[in-house]
Amino acid sequence: MRQKLVLHFPSTVVEQPFVYHLVKDMKLMVNILKANINPRKEGRMVVEVSGEKEDFLEGVEFLQSRGVKVFPLEQEIVWVKEKCTQCGACTVICPSGALSLKRPEMEIQFDDDKCIICEYCIKACPARAMEARY
Amino acid sequence: MLVKRTYEEINAKIRAGKAVVVTAEEVVSMARERGVEETAASVDVVTTGTFGPMCSSGVFLNLGQTKPKIKIKELYLNGVEAYSGLAAVDAYLGATQIPETDPANKRYPGDFNYGGGHLIEELVAGKEVLMEATSYGTDCYPKKKAEKMISLEEMPQAFLFNPRNAYQNYNVAVNLSDKTLYTYMGILKPDLGNANYSTAGQLSPLFNDPYYATIGMGTKIFLGGGIGYVSWFGTQHAPEAPRGDNGVPLAPAGTMAVIGDLKQMDPRWLRGMSFLGYGASLMVGIGIPIPILSEEILRHTAVGDDEIFAPVVDYSEAYPQGTGDTLGQVSYAELKSGEITIGERVVPSAPLSSYPGAREIAAMLKEWIQKGEFMLSRPAFTLPATNEGVDYMKSVGPAFSE
């Protein structure tokens, strides 16, 4: 299975290794999409975790037992197609390739599997056709 | 075989539903397969299109009188100021005007979520807007203050009148500095992070009539989803820009002023734009039919993206300082591929002008003409092809009629 998670690290555990154990002990593939981790401060990470279901559940349990709060990622970036003028300004701003042009038609395509929710597109879109939803 | 057609002959064919119409995209491959001569012999009209941000746009509004009457000195529509130094209730609302309350770039880069362009889109979409007018009062216009909700329908007249649209070629914007730039050409990442361009290339109107053989004052066009007319050569019209062997300018060259009744337009083709750190604008849809009066005119419409070149300009220094320096030329075929090469560097490229929008406009115009709903009009005179301005003597008399 594969799921995007939001992890909240209390300041007391933020300096402990977690990803190491998820990878090494539970054999999970951890893709860090966004991280804000600083010494002695509360941290936040958005990760995509994939692996066997039991390993996944074990991983979540492990994180929770160490005081990390685990939430499913509910925020998403939505492409409002009716507002999109099909220009292409977003395609060089999107760092993950989620927004791209289909060639030769030059039509915008949005692949939300590739979206890392950096939100750069929201203000880069002159037509304001990209929206963050929670 | 020498191809010669007149406006009258073409219009007669349109009226009979027999005109052969192709888009400026279709004509490229057609001419490459069959040759220019054969294509010119069969095609009567080539339709073009462009749908891009055009800052030099706006609307003349007549708001209708109040009782008692008012001679407006200051006018705000949804907080956006419209120039009212005209007769009583006439005003001009520009696409880039932003509300007084907008922090603009005080909080850099500013969002510019709302401005004249958005207001125009809302009016065309039938929405009511807040009108706030003030005046000093006169014997003939005693009222000093008026405030009400108003819609486009309630306004006696409203027409789009854009002083500079549909630029014939435009810069490819890049950034050589080490900080991100926020421009009307979009976000430019540091150290050649990206290259943004903004024309529809082979579909763009003036690329298809590079010497303005057919486009001029009175040319009937697709404008903002409705009908409009070319009303003059646009501001900064620069026909003497350097040109390639095929006649296509290698730098920003011709421009047009266009006009049309706002009430018959469609918000889909007049869209308010917000450029981070720059301001508000209006995306305008324009389509121009090109009558194939001669083989030469067809030859110009058949120019493809690989034969049209744009200058690459650094927006950290060359553009703002007006140095005139360029970093070379790239073709629209390269720009559309998503990558261009500048010196040793491969740089991702992106359009600000909607190619699918341009294609749709050209296709719509083609359909209107095929159905006999859209006749071509002969301009009173064509756009000036030299810096001397309009050559009124070269008005479209003998040269263009029979």
Side-chain angles (χ1 to χ4, degrees):
Chain A
M1 66 176 292
R2 187 166 70 158
Q3 198 178 347
K4 285 181 186 164
L5 300 171
V6 180
L7 310 180
H8 278 279
F9 300 89
S11 54
T12 48
V13 305
V14 82
E15 288 172 65
Q16 294 176 21
F18 288 98
V19 174
Y20 170 83
H21 291 290
L22 294 177
V23 175
K24 190 103 199 313
D25 305 343
M26 289 117 207
K27 298 187 174 50
L28 293 168
M29 197 195 285
V30 181
N31 185 11
I32 301 171
L33 301 176
K34 196 171 178 177
N36 187 7
I37 303 287
N38 294 293
R40 295 179 300 282
K41 284 188 182 149
E42 198 178 82
R44 184 175 179 272
M45 242 161 87
V46 180
V47 292
E48 186 180 62
V49 181
S50 46
E52 294 300 321
K53 190 172 182 187
E54 347 177 323
D55 296 333
F56 178 87
L57 294 174
E58 198 186 326
V60 171
E61 203 173 303
F62 158 75
L63 290 168
Q64 287 169 336
S65 71
R66 297 282 189 97
V68 178
K69 292 193 178 113
V70 182
F71 305 96
L73 179 72
E74 281 169 6
Q75 185 191 347
E76 54 172 353
I77 301 295
V78 180
W79 174 40
V80 188
K81 207 175 170 185
E82 315 78 73
K83 281 194 186 174
C84 177
T85 62
Q86 302 277 346
C87 74
C90 58
T91 59
V92 278
I93 300 303
C94 176
S96 67
L99 281 158
S100 62
L101 283 170
K102 185 175 154 198
R103 295 186 163 82
E105 298 85 351
M106 302 300 282
E107 284 163 7
I108 296 288
Q109 47 192 8
F110 178 55
D111 179 352
D112 55 5
D113 278 347
K114 287 191 187 163
C115 177
I116 58 166
I117 322 195
C118 68
E119 303 186 359
Y120 288 167
C121 56
I122 293 176
K123 287 181 178 175
C125 171
R128 298 285 185 262
M130 302 304 295
E131 292 176 3
R133 293 196 185 152
Y134 300 89
Chain B
M1 187 180 59
L2 202 59
V3 174
K4 279 276 169 223
R5 282 189 194 83
T6 64
Y7 280 89
E8 292 73 16
E9 284 163 4
I10 294 173
N11 279 336
K13 283 183 88 174
I14 295 173
R15 222 171 277 118
K18 287 181 181 162
V20 178
V21 190
V22 298
T23 71
E25 192 178 49
E26 292 162 345
V27 78
V28 177
S29 48
M30 231 173 133
R32 283 178 192 180
E33 282 162 26
R34 303 188 204 168
V36 167
E37 194 179 311
E38 199 187 315
T39 310
S42 61
V43 173
D44 299 304
V45 183
V46 171
T47 60
T48 65
T50 183
F51 184 40
M54 305 193 196
C55 291
S56 208
S57 299
V59 287
F60 275 104
L61 303 170
N62 178 282
L63 299 156
Q65 261 301 355
T66 54
K67 268 189 186 171
K69 289 182 178 174
I70 188 168
K71 173 182 169 326
I72 300 174
K73 181 165 182 291
E74 279 180 333
L75 172 69
Y76 293 91
L77 296 168
N78 277 359
V80 179
E81 187 169 17
Y83 179 75
S84 53
L86 300 162
V89 288
D90 279 349
Y92 186 78
L93 167 69
T96 70
Q97 190 66 281
I98 55 168
E100 303 279 296
T101 51
D102 192 307
N105 270 341
K106 284 184 197 116
R107 218 178 47 211
Y108 179 83
D111 284 355
F112 302 100
N113 284 318
Y114 195 81
H118 300 85
L119 185 53
I120 293 168
E121 179 186 334
E122 287 184 349
L123 283 171
V124 179
K127 289 190 185 152
E128 285 198 317
V129 302
L130 175 66
M131 162 187 149
E132 296 167 286
T134 52
S135 183
Y136 46 86
T138 71
D139 291 339
C140 42
Y141 294 101
K143 200 171 169 82
K144 289 183 179 171
K145 198 166 185 282
E147 196 179 309
K148 63 170 180 174
M149 296 302 288
I150 189 165
S151 70
L152 181 60
E153 200 186 350
E154 294 162 63
M155 297 180 195
Q157 288 85 22
F159 50 91
L160 190 74
F161 190 10
N162 305 342
R164 181 167 80 252
N165 276 182
Y167 235 122
Q168 184 183 27
N169 214 348
Y170 209 75
N171 298 336
V172 177
V174 297
N175 176 6
L176 292 179
S177 80
D178 57 7
K179 67 175 183 64
T180 300
L181 300 175
Y182 300 93
T183 75
Y184 69 90
M185 290 297 288
I187 300 169
L188 303 174
K189 294 190 280 186
D191 188 27
L192 291 175
N194 57 305
N196 286 2
Y197 66 99
S198 190
T199 95
Q202 62 192 11
L203 270 172
S204 186
L206 291 177
F207 273 148
N208 285 286
D209 185 8
Y211 292 110
Y212 331 113
T214 70
I215 299 173
M217 186 191 180
T219 298
K220 187 174 162 188
I221 63 173
F222 171 107
L223 179 60
I227 304 288
Y229 291 87
V230 174
S231 50
W232 205 252
F233 54 102
T235 53
Q236 297 178 23
H237 179 71
E240 292 183 11
R243 289 170 189 263
D245 292 341
N246 55 10
V248 177
L250 300 168
T255 70
M256 308 181 269
V258 297
I259 195 164
D261 185 357
L262 193 68
K263 295 192 178 203
Q264 41 101 51
M265 293 188 190
D266 181 339
R268 163 119 206 259
W269 301 110
L270 287 175
R271 292 287 310 277
M273 293 285 117
S274 302
F275 284 95
L276 192 63
Y278 165 73
S281 187
L282 183 72
M283 199 149 160
V284 183
I286 293 181
I288 301 189
I290 303 198
I292 304 304
L293 305 174
S294 69
E295 199 176 297
E296 189 63 12
I297 289 171
L298 188 280
R299 184 190 310 279
H300 286 306
T301 64
V303 168
D305 281 329
D306 55 341
E307 302 165 280
I308 309 174
F309 296 85
V312 181
V313 175
D314 169 34
Y315 273 61
S316 71
E317 183 71 24
Y319 184 84
Q321 302 305 328
T323 67
D325 294 340
T326 69
L327 300 164
Q329 301 270 329
V330 288
S331 77
Y332 279 90
E334 285 171 88
L335 287 163
K336 280 170 76 181
S337 78
E339 270 179 4
I340 61 169
T341 306
I342 303 172
E344 305 276 284
R345 296 278 300 276
V346 174
V347 181
S349 57
L352 292 173
S353 174
S354 171
Y355 195 78
R359 189 194 290 122
E360 202 178 327
I361 289 169
M364 252 191 284
L365 190 52
K366 173 181 163 176
E367 197 188 320
W368 291 354
I369 297 170
Q370 281 173 333
K371 282 186 178 165
E373 294 165 0
F374 188 108
M375 295 296 166
L376 305 197
S377 67
R378 176 207 305 266
F381 49 82
T382 51
L383 300 180
T386 69
N387 286 346
E388 302 305 310
V390 173
D391 185 354
Y392 301 96
M393 295 308 287
K394 208 188 93 201
S395 75
V396 189
F400 281 91
S401 70
E402 296 71 26

